[in-house]
Amino acid sequence: GESVGLHLPTLSVQEGDNSIINCAYSNSASDYFIWYKQESGKGPQFIIDIRSNMDKRQGQRVTVLLNKTVKHLSLQIAATQPGDSAVYFCAETPPPGFQKLVFGTGTRLLVSP
Amino acid sequence: GAGVSQSPRYKVAKRGQDVALRCDPISGHVSLFWYQQALGQGPEFLTYFQNEAQLDKSGLPSDRFFAERPEGSVSTLKIQRTQQEDSAVYLCASSPGREQPQHFGDGTRLSIL
């Protein structure tokens, strides 16, 4: 089927490595940020979120870091598995309204066994 | 539990025809969003509902695009007089409210011939 992210930046890692995916967001007034995983033919799947009053949040095997000074988000995936292979998007909720999501460019993660 | 459901999954229409895309959000979710995703890109915001009220339609590309959510649950995105540039995946998302994750359906892939 069609692929999401045909010409996206790609991060290739070995199974078991830790992965770090970076994202620059655009609006310094955004107050909420989300990371999504998208597989071909599927909608974006929620991974983890963080509010602007935090700089770090941990989930199961994932950590999100927020650096508001340079408008940078990162997603760290521990012990990456082949099932983690997908396109990853960060998204922000800018004013006005702080409701709609504005998505970043996306990064394709390829995990080799 | 049930996620966001979209129908049809695929739609092929001839240029100039009208199409209607349906979204069933997660039960109880107040907020409903429509996004358009072109091949190789991140989703782009179209419109947002809080219950039955359409609070933001700033992303609708033209007046050929119309969305409704008359009873605050199911939503329909209608595109009149379709053009080839309307070909894309149309994604619906719902959330309980602000600073809560938006959960996406798997989208409707629209192809205009």
Side-chain angles (χ1 to χ4, degrees):
Chain A
E2 278 186 51
S3 297
V4 173
L6 294 179
H7 304 292
L8 295 175
T10 299
L11 174 65
S12 296
V13 302
Q14 294 288 118
E15 182 177 2
D17 287 351
N18 296 331
S19 302
I20 300 176
I21 300 172
N22 295 303
C23 174
Y25 65 90
S26 59
N27 195 313
S28 59
S30 292
D31 66 352
Y32 178 64
F33 305 87
I34 307 181
W35 279 99
Y36 285 97
K37 171 187 179 183
Q38 189 172 27
E39 297 172 291
S40 286
K42 301 280 191 180
Q45 176 188 352
F46 169 75
I47 302 173
I48 191 167
D49 58 357
I50 188 168
R51 291 176 174 77
S52 59
N53 62 352
M54 305 170 67
D55 54 20
K56 180 179 180 179
R57 190 167 188 218
Q58 289 184 293
Q60 187 176 14
R61 278 203 310 121
V62 294
T63 300
V64 54
L65 299 178
L66 174 62
N67 185 331
K68 292 184 289 292
T69 303
V70 294
K71 295 190 292 185
H72 184 267
L73 273 169
S74 68
L75 176 70
Q76 301 176 0
I77 305 174
T80 315
Q81 303 167 0
D84 294 327
S85 294
V87 176
Y88 289 79
F89 291 100
C90 70
E92 60 183 305
T93 56
F98 301 97
Q99 291 281 359
K100 70 182 182 185
L101 292 172
V102 175
F103 284 79
T105 305
T107 297
R108 176 183 297 280
L109 177 65
L110 293 177
V111 183
S112 304
Chain B
V4 176
S5 178
Q6 293 188 245
S7 61
R9 287 282 283 124
Y10 303 91
K11 176 69 178 177
V12 180
K14 292 182 179 178
R15 186 165 54 93
Q17 289 183 330
D18 298 348
V19 299
L21 313 179
R22 177 187 170 104
C23 173
D24 281 88
I26 293 172
S27 178
H29 278 194
V30 167
S31 302
L32 185 146
F33 303 80
W34 285 97
Y35 294 85
Q36 180 189 62
Q37 187 171 27
L39 187 62
Q41 299 182 21
E44 293 195 353
F45 171 78
L46 294 176
T47 187
Y48 153 61
F49 291 85
Q50 185 171 304
N51 296 307
E52 68 278 4
Q54 189 175 18
L55 298 186
D56 186 347
K57 52 182 181 179
S58 61
L60 295 176
S62 75
D63 59 7
R64 296 185 296 104
F65 287 71
F66 172 76
E68 60 183 3
R69 194 187 185 196
E71 298 179 356
S73 178
V74 172
S75 178
T76 303
L77 176 67
K78 298 178 179 178
I79 309 173
Q80 297 176 324
R81 304 180 305 280
T82 52
Q83 303 294 318
Q84 284 192 325
E85 62 263 29
D86 300 334
S87 295
V89 174
Y90 290 85
L91 294 164
C92 177
S94 70
S95 82
R98 182 176 167 180
E99 292 191 355
Q100 297 289 323
Q102 293 182 27
H103 296 276
F104 284 79
D106 285 337
T108 294
R109 183 176 301 279
L110 176 64
S111 298
I112 305 300
L113 304 179

